[in-house]
Amino acid sequence: MAQVPVSAEVLQQLAPVLTSLLSSDNNQRAAAEAQLNDQWIAQQPDLLLLGLSQFVANNNEIQLRSHCSVLLRRLAYKQFSTANDPDTHLWDIVQESTRQGVKELLLVALANETDQSTRHKVSDTIAEIARFDLAEGGKWDSLLKALFECSQSPNAGHRESAFRIFASVPDLIAGQHTDALKNVFLAGLNDSESQSVRLEAMKAAASYIVQADEQIQKSLGTLMPHMLDPLSPVIAARDDATLVDGLVVLIELADTCPKLFRPVLPNVLSVMVSVGKDKSFDDRSRQTALELLLTLAEAAPAMARKVPNFASEIIPVAMEMSTDIDDDESWYTTDDLEEDDNEENYVMGESTLDRIARTLGGKIVVPICFQYIPQMLQSSEWQQRRAALMAISSIGEGSIKIMRPELSNIINLILPSFKDVHPRVRYAACNTIGQMSTDFAPYLQKHFHEVVVSSLLPVMEDPQPRIQAHAAAAMVNFCEEADKKILDPYLDAIFDRLLILLKTSKTYVQEQAITTIATVADCAEDRFNKYHAAIMPLLLSILHQAGDKEYRLLRSRAIECASLIGLAIGKEAFAPYTAEFINILAGIQQSITEPDDIQTTYLLAAWARMCKMMGQDFLPYLPNIMPPLLQSAKLTPEFTFVDPDEEDVDSKYPSDDGWEFVGINGQQIGIKTSVLEEKHTAIEMLVSYARDLGAGFLPYVGPVLEIALPLLKFYFHDGVRHAAAALIPVLLKDAKDANVAPGEIANMWNTIFEKLSKILTIEDDITFLAQAYATFSECIDVLGENCLQPAQIESFMKGASEQLTKFLERLNEREQEKQAGEYDADDEDQLADEEASEEDALSEMARAIQSLFKVSGPAFLPYFDKLLPMVVQFLSHPNSAARQWAICIFDDLVEFTGPASFTYSNYFLQAMVAGISDKASEVRQASAYGVGIMGQFGGPQYADACAAALEPLFNLINSPNAREDGIVFVTENAISAIAKICKFNSSKFQLEPVLAAWLTTLPIVNDDQEAPIVYTYLLDLLEAQHPSILGPNNSNIPHIAKIFNEVLASDILSPELSARMANSMKAIMGGVAFHQN
């Protein structure tokens, strides 16, 4: 036994304090806490930690040993301030000999403890100290040896404790030989004596596999069959708590290493489905069993699809769960529509259908679901009819391609439910049509507007207020995606119903009516003019009268609606209400005293809409609006660290208050997300003000920039980062438009670049990287020539090179997986999303490089040389998006460096001309545009290449599908390229026959960038009476007249160019000779 490090006298002084901490008497407990803090923690922390350890190791009372173990863990890592370090831990400030003494005593306690619950607490304390040591680079040399000995001990309690600690701190055994670990885990998983050992071994093996590298994971994959075995007796015994505990471990493993489950997946499916079906288990057990299957499907969709009965086994269980709902009276009488039912079976059933459809795809899921849906809709049980509707609603998002052709039949199945005798079924019908209006937009709005609107309008008069509100909510979903021409015939009927709802006594119905009015106003725009006179007085009345706290949401919705009406009808039409509405907003703003008042976010958005509507007339209101807005923009998120075993987290940090928790390194970290939403809205509103007020926003440019720049690294909320990045170039433009001195602008840019360049180099979030490149480009566009110092260009190019290397690695990895057959057809959507994100980021990088070419011209070439080898790799890549990106880079090279670009022609010229005939349309378009740019800007050195490009360009234009959607822009770029070559670089071919052939390819009526170039050239030729355009005996004039008719009808040209074309048209029709303007 270790030497007793604390005297009996000290222990006698400490014992009554510890005993009093367990008292049920609040006064006695408070006095003990004060004594602990003042006399022990502050004055003698070494004796305190050693004394607690001594009690854990040697005291005879179980309760005191258990309590001291927990207290030791909590106090050792309690935040503590000293003169030298205001943010340290008690464990850090005690002597090394104390730390060693604590560790020795804990190992003694682990060896001797006979009570299982107390031994668990001792194990958890050892794990916490070991975790902290590892994080700080410390060592506990005797621990690993002791634990391996425990794992082989004849005492089952020792074996359980070893695996419990390994599960909590897998890094402890990182670096051990894999085969040795496999044997240790295998021995624990097959423990013949103790179920507890087997379960802890499963947790330890899973925890270690999750943090291991891929090679070790594959090596330990052979443990999988053994890792499932410990759950069999748990399932047989209907031990719900232990079953859920074990399944949660497997869910984490499935999320991280789903393919390890491949050999055992059929067995896992069978067992989990049997648990999900079995109503003798608790609801949580049944739901967690389904969650394991869903996690596997989401983490490895292709693997799940290859199990033939995966969907057909899960879906009936989910459908059955969806019917498990009671007709509670409270559903009808409540005024609080925030349903706290996430743990209910029917919610899990509906969620399962949604997730399985999005994961496995409609091709698999829809036929299985519709084996049940029609008969369920005919059932005499309302729960069945409701569940059928919710199933349609749930699977829609993941089954769009399969369900869209059948939408007419599906809607016809739903329609009778709007008149169902049971309110919950009518409610579900509204929910389903609302969800489908989102999932199948705009197709549903275009083809089924009459049947949808005519079904929802009557239900907005339902006797049950909740159904009225839900019908109005479904109308929001429909209108959000509807063209205003589609809405126009229904506006009178919609607003008649909404005005009735606005006057009802139920607050939540009024709230929804106001939201629907706002949405319809936003969609209807100027067509809303005839309704505002009836609606605005009602909204202003609500804002004046609904002053109590319980009406905050109603007031917030009214604020939103009135401000959206202002945007819809414009400054002049809204003028009668402007002064009153702004006074109301100012009054509400001054009345807000609570930091989480919901009105704050709505006010921020409403002020911004008023600014957009009023323009410069809004400037006088800024001094009152900006201080609270800047305060919201500066909000910092609240954090907390909790111990779920010792704190009632749900009551202390309720989710209703915006708290969300994540587990990191064994700790639960909470963040209050409601603050983040307010911050996000504030930054977005600053973008709006800066954009709408221009130079008038100058007084706030400096303070707002100080807020925005640090937020580029605000990793807690993606929306905040994106909005901050979008704000920066707008602020720069405001300063420039306000004629701020060039030196100040340069200082402002240097500050921006310092922050931005780091992001451009290290950012791994592809979506935000795209935004960061867009921010850079927009800043350069604002600043113009000579805005970058050589060191800044070097820094940008270094970051671009590093990012391109990572892009290329990911691209090659995806191509290899495609070649290896690791993707199947149903993975296409996920793959397409990944590729789209990558392509967006590459496109923004290309635009940033273009900005540098634009402001620097040939002077940029020495910097570009460093990127050239990487661009050439992309040019020859099998991936078409990569080739297109490289060609776009070379397009910009030619456009902005002109003849100087010919030095690089060996790298791209052959590929660009060949690209006109590439099988990928995006490559053909970039190549066609590029050869046009060579003709326009490249100079005579490119004349041979321009001549050689004509034949493939005409072949492209004359291909059978040249005018089809998706191809027509390629074709029009080719037509424009021929125009540019003929106009600027025709020395190596006979111009007349090319012009005659080119005329037959017109018109172009889609590409508004190329159309002005093409038609300016055509008009020049026509007004010069070029014979190749007029044709023999003016025979081409009817064709030219036809071209002009189509172009003018398409409204693709500027008013000036349209007028010039119209005059030429008149001249043609009048037979008047043309004269040069």
Side-chain angles (χ1 to χ4, degrees):
M1 182 179 287
Q3 182 180 355
V4 177
V6 178
S7 69
E9 183 184 355
V10 170
L11 294 178
Q12 286 171 359
Q13 293 172 9
L14 181 58
V17 178
L18 300 176
T19 304
S20 296
L21 286 172
L22 295 171
S23 172
S24 57
D25 184 308
N26 289 338
N27 293 330
Q28 188 178 351
R29 198 167 60 249
E33 286 174 357
Q35 191 177 354
L36 183 73
N37 286 323
D38 297 341
Q39 296 180 19
W40 293 93
I41 295 175
Q43 296 184 26
Q44 39 193 352
D46 290 85
L47 285 178
L48 172 62
L49 295 189
L50 286 169
L52 288 171
S53 305
Q54 181 68 33
F55 282 126
V56 173
N58 295 325
N59 196 272
N60 293 326
E61 295 180 26
I62 291 175
Q63 186 183 21
L64 190 60
R65 294 200 304 273
S66 176
H67 175 58
C68 288
S69 182
V70 172
L71 196 59
L72 174 61
R73 182 170 87 236
R74 192 180 296 168
L75 292 179
Y77 300 109
K78 180 183 175 69
Q79 293 295 119
F80 195 77
S81 295
T82 67
N84 296 326
D85 189 347
D87 185 21
T88 186
H89 300 91
L90 211 57
W91 187 255
D92 291 322
I93 65 171
V94 297
Q95 298 176 40
E96 175 60 25
S97 60
T98 298
R99 291 194 285 266
Q100 290 303 322
V102 169
K103 291 175 180 179
E104 286 179 25
L105 286 165
L106 286 174
L107 290 181
V108 169
L110 184 66
N112 296 337
E113 184 58 62
T114 55
D115 177 70
Q116 185 184 44
S117 174
T118 304
R119 192 173 59 251
H120 285 173
K121 290 181 172 65
V122 172
S123 300
D124 294 344
T125 302
I126 290 172
E128 186 73 7
I129 291 174
R131 184 185 302 112
F132 190 85
D133 266 9
L134 285 170
E136 297 294 313
K139 286 185 177 181
W140 187 348
D141 294 327
S142 57
L143 176 61
L144 197 56
K145 180 174 181 291
L147 291 180
F148 276 124
E149 288 174 358
C150 281
S151 72
Q152 298 167 31
S153 167
N155 183 323
H158 290 163
R159 300 197 299 276
E160 179 194 5
S161 296
F163 287 118
R164 184 181 181 92
I165 295 169
F166 288 149
S168 185
V169 198
D171 285 342
L172 262 179
I173 48 177
Q176 300 295 312
H177 196 280
T178 304
D179 287 341
L181 287 177
K182 189 187 298 185
N183 290 332
V184 170
F185 289 138
L186 204 54
L189 291 166
N190 293 322
D191 195 285
S192 59
E193 180 186 350
S194 171
Q195 172 67 8
S196 296
V197 173
R198 294 194 292 272
L199 286 167
E200 289 297 342
M202 180 192 78
K203 294 177 186 178
S207 183
Y208 181 75
I209 291 170
V210 163
Q211 59 82 50
D213 62 40
E214 190 174 350
Q215 186 176 352
I216 292 174
Q217 287 174 348
K218 286 180 179 177
S219 177
L220 294 177
T222 54
L223 292 174
M224 282 307 301
H226 305 280
M227 289 177 66
L228 302 175
D229 289 341
L231 291 182
S232 297
V234 176
I235 292 170
R238 299 298 191 270
D239 182 351
D240 287 289
T242 305
L243 176 58
V244 169
D245 195 29
L247 289 176
V248 167
V249 172
L250 292 178
I251 287 168
E252 184 182 3
L253 183 61
D255 190 39
T256 308
C257 315
K259 291 179 182 175
L260 294 185
F261 285 77
R262 192 191 305 272
V264 296
L265 187 52
N267 182 42
V268 171
L269 175 65
S270 174
V271 174
M272 293 303 110
V273 165
S274 70
V275 173
K277 285 179 181 176
D278 191 339
K279 295 183 181 179
S280 66
F281 285 100
D282 284 354
D283 289 349
R284 188 157 181 233
S285 295
R286 298 172 62 201
Q287 293 173 18
T288 310
L290 278 188
E291 182 62 40
L292 174 57
L293 296 174
L294 290 168
T295 302
L296 282 165
E298 288 169 340
M303 181 179 78
R305 288 188 203 105
K306 287 171 184 172
V307 178
N309 60 335
F310 196 90
S312 61
E313 288 285 331
I314 293 176
I315 287 171
V317 181
M319 299 284 270
E320 173 65 23
M321 275 192 175
S322 299
T323 66
D324 188 2
I325 182 171
D326 297 324
D327 199 15
D328 293 331
E329 179 64 24
S330 62
W331 190 88
Y332 300 92
T333 57
T334 184
D335 286 329
D336 181 10
L337 301 190
E338 293 293 325
E339 296 180 359
D340 185 21
D341 55 5
N342 289 334
E343 295 180 0
E344 297 291 337
N345 275 339
Y346 74 88
V347 175
M348 183 64 189
E350 292 159 14
S351 171
T352 298
L353 293 172
D354 168 45
R355 292 166 65 186
I356 209 76
R358 286 189 286 115
T359 301
L360 301 186
K363 190 175 179 182
I364 292 173
V365 170
V366 169
I368 300 169
C369 287
F370 276 88
Q371 289 175 20
Y372 303 96
I373 288 170
Q375 64 196 51
M376 290 172 72
L377 285 169
Q378 299 301 317
S379 172
S380 60
E381 297 178 14
W382 71 267
Q383 291 95 336
Q384 293 273 338
R385 301 195 299 277
R386 179 201 165 279
L389 292 167
M390 295 308 293
I392 296 172
S393 173
S394 299
I395 65 175
E397 184 183 355
S399 310
I400 292 171
K401 290 179 183 176
I402 302 300
M403 288 175 67
R404 185 160 54 197
E406 299 296 327
L407 216 49
S408 177
N409 294 329
I410 294 170
I411 289 174
N412 286 333
L413 277 176
I414 296 167
L415 291 180
S417 301
F418 283 103
K419 299 177 181 178
D420 195 280
V421 294
H422 202 285
R424 304 292 289 269
V425 178
R426 298 198 298 277
Y427 184 93
C430 295
N431 190 89
T432 303
I433 282 294
Q435 187 61 52
M436 291 173 68
S437 294
T438 298
D439 293 340
F440 296 95
Y443 182 84
L444 181 141
Q445 283 81 349
K446 185 176 180 181
H447 295 281
F448 302 101
H449 52 86
E450 185 175 359
V451 68
V452 169
V453 175
S454 62
S455 297
L456 287 175
L457 286 174
V459 197
M460 288 167 71
E461 299 176 351
D462 194 278
Q464 171 51 242
R466 283 197 74 164
I467 298 173
Q468 295 173 357
H470 213 48
M475 192 68 80
V476 169
N477 292 40
F478 178 82
C479 293
E480 277 180 333
E481 303 292 342
D483 187 274
K484 63 180 179 180
K485 291 178 183 175
I486 288 174
L487 275 185
D488 198 31
Y490 307 109
L491 289 178
D492 287 348
I494 291 172
F495 281 116
D496 285 346
R497 301 308 196 285
L498 291 173
L499 283 170
I500 293 169
L501 296 184
L502 197 54
K503 297 171 185 176
T504 59
S505 58
K506 281 282 186 186
T507 302
Y508 67 74
V509 177
Q510 290 181 301
E511 289 168 358
Q512 185 56 63
I514 290 170
T515 298
T516 308
I517 289 168
T519 303
V520 177
D522 196 31
C523 299
E525 295 175 334
D526 56 325
R527 286 174 164 79
F528 192 79
N529 274 316
K530 67 184 282 191
Y531 306 104
H532 67 78
I535 290 170
M536 276 303 300
L538 291 172
L539 294 175
L540 294 173
S541 174
I542 288 170
L543 290 170
H544 280 301
Q545 296 175 19
D548 293 343
K549 186 173 181 178
E550 65 188 282
Y551 296 119
R552 281 180 181 174
L553 181 58
L554 178 65
R555 214 158 45 242
S556 298
R557 296 277 176 85
I559 289 168
E560 177 183 52
C561 185
S563 59
L564 281 168
I565 288 172
L567 272 186
I569 64 178
K571 181 165 71 172
E572 288 73 22
F574 197 75
Y577 319 112
T578 299
E580 183 179 1
F581 183 55
I582 283 181
N583 286 335
I584 289 171
L585 294 183
I588 293 173
Q589 181 168 291
Q590 290 173 2
S591 73
I592 291 175
T593 57
E594 297 174 16
D596 58 351
D597 192 326
I598 190 175
Q599 295 173 110
T600 301
T601 300
Y602 285 87
L603 270 174
L604 297 178
W607 282 125
R609 292 188 194 107
M610 288 296 96
C611 176
K612 189 178 288 291
M613 181 193 80
M614 296 170 67
Q616 297 299 309
D617 293 345
F618 190 75
L619 282 172
Y621 300 101
L622 273 188
N624 293 325
I625 293 164
M626 288 300 291
L629 178 60
L630 294 176
Q631 187 176 349
S632 294
K634 291 176 183 175
L635 285 172
T636 55
E638 265 186 77
F639 289 100
T640 188
F641 294 83
V642 299
D643 184 342
D645 294 333
E646 305 302 328
E647 294 184 62
D648 185 357
V649 176
D650 291 339
S651 62
K652 201 170 179 182
Y653 306 102
S655 58
D656 289 349
D657 288 351
W659 284 100
E660 291 184 9
F661 286 86
V662 292
I664 300 175
N665 293 330
Q667 290 185 305
Q668 285 289 310
I669 300 174
I671 181 169
K672 197 170 185 181
T673 55
S674 54
V675 171
L676 299 181
E677 291 306 321
E678 182 181 337
K679 186 180 185 76
H680 179 210
T681 301
I683 302 297
E684 286 192 321
M685 296 310 101
L686 288 171
V687 175
S688 184
Y689 287 137
R691 187 174 289 133
D692 294 334
L693 295 173
F697 195 67
L698 181 64
Y700 305 98
V701 165
V704 171
L705 186 62
E706 286 183 16
I707 293 171
L709 283 174
L711 296 181
L712 294 176
K713 292 186 176 181
F714 192 80
Y715 298 108
F716 308 112
H717 193 287
D718 288 343
V720 170
R721 291 185 84 199
H722 282 265
L727 175 57
I728 288 166
V730 186
L731 295 174
L732 202 56
K733 185 175 187 301
D734 289 350
K736 189 172 183 183
D737 289 349
N739 296 316
V740 169
E744 288 184 47
I745 295 280
N747 289 336
M748 189 175 167
W749 164 241
N750 290 337
T751 304
I752 291 168
F753 182 81
E754 183 184 355
K755 301 286 187 185
L756 192 57
S757 63
K758 293 176 183 175
I759 298 290
L760 294 174
T761 302
I762 66 172
E763 185 60 49
D764 288 325
D765 180 336
I766 300 301
T767 307
F768 186 70
L769 182 64
Q771 173 63 66
Y773 276 120
T775 297
F776 177 85
S777 305
E778 289 163 20
C779 287
I780 300 303
D781 291 344
V782 168
L783 295 166
E785 294 181 5
N786 303 316
C787 61
L788 284 162
Q789 300 164 17
Q792 290 176 331
I793 302 177
E794 289 275 6
S795 172
F796 173 86
M797 295 305 280
K798 180 176 180 292
S801 179
E802 291 182 20
Q803 290 291 357
L804 277 177
T805 300
K806 289 188 274 189
F807 275 120
L808 196 59
E809 287 171 359
R810 290 191 295 268
L811 191 58
N812 290 336
E813 186 179 332
R814 275 199 303 275
E815 291 297 319
Q816 288 165 10
E817 287 176 350
K818 286 180 190 176
Q819 297 299 321
E822 293 188 27
Y823 290 107
D824 60 28
D826 291 305
D827 287 321
E828 283 180 6
D829 289 344
Q830 180 187 348
L831 184 61
D833 288 344
E834 289 176 11
E835 291 182 340
S837 296
E838 297 263 337
E839 288 165 21
D840 284 346
L842 278 170
S843 176
E844 291 297 346
M845 181 195 281
R847 188 157 76 96
I849 294 169
Q850 180 193 68
S851 298
L852 293 173
F853 270 126
K854 195 183 295 185
V855 298
S856 304
F860 179 59
L861 290 174
Y863 303 98
F864 176 70
D865 288 345
K866 296 175 182 176
L867 208 61
L868 183 60
M870 192 68 69
V871 180
V872 171
Q873 283 189 65
F874 274 76
L875 186 61
S876 59
H877 203 278
N879 181 277
S880 59
R883 298 197 301 278
Q884 179 218 20
W885 179 83
I887 289 171
C888 288
I889 296 292
F890 285 119
D891 290 350
D892 293 331
L893 168 75
V894 177
E895 181 170 356
F896 296 107
T897 67
S901 66
F902 194 74
T903 308
Y904 298 84
S905 60
N906 286 341
Y907 294 107
F908 68 84
L909 195 53
Q910 186 177 350
M912 191 175 288
V913 175
I916 300 168
S917 307
D918 196 281
K919 61 183 179 182
S921 60
E922 64 268 29
V923 177
R924 296 200 300 275
Q925 183 168 338
S927 300
Y929 177 81
V931 295
I933 290 296
M934 287 193 307
Q936 186 173 359
F937 297 105
Q941 299 166 99
Y942 285 100
D944 287 324
C946 289
L950 289 172
E951 183 177 351
L953 285 171
F954 276 112
N955 289 340
L956 186 159
I957 294 163
N958 294 320
S959 63
N961 63 346
R963 304 287 175 168
E964 289 180 4
D965 287 347
I967 306 295
V968 68
F969 280 89
V970 181
T971 304
E972 294 192 351
N973 266 266
I975 294 169
S976 179
I978 295 172
K980 293 168 188 170
I981 290 170
C982 289
K983 183 172 183 178
F984 298 105
N985 218 325
S986 59
S987 63
K988 292 299 178 86
F989 60 89
Q990 192 175 349
L991 181 61
E992 286 72 17
V994 173
L995 281 177
W998 172 72
L999 183 65
T1000 65
T1001 68
L1002 298 174
I1004 71 170
V1005 291
N1006 295 280
D1007 194 325
D1008 57 3
Q1009 300 295 310
E1010 300 303 319
I1013 298 166
V1014 167
Y1015 293 119
T1016 298
Y1017 183 46
L1018 177 60
L1019 288 168
D1020 288 345
L1021 292 169
L1022 192 59
E1023 290 165 3
Q1025 300 187 47
H1026 196 289
S1028 296
I1029 298 301
L1030 294 173
N1033 300 317
N1034 294 338
S1035 58
N1036 290 340
I1037 285 180
H1039 178 58
I1040 294 169
K1042 183 173 180 290
I1043 291 169
F1044 285 6
N1045 266 325
E1046 290 186 39
V1047 173
L1048 292 171
S1050 72
D1051 198 26
I1052 198 173
L1053 301 179
S1054 67
E1056 296 78 16
L1057 194 53
S1058 292
R1060 183 181 172 193
M1061 183 174 281
N1063 288 333
S1064 292
M1065 182 85 164
K1066 290 174 188 173
I1068 290 173
M1069 302 310 293
V1072 179
F1074 295 104
H1075 301 283
Q1076 188 79 22
N1077 284 352

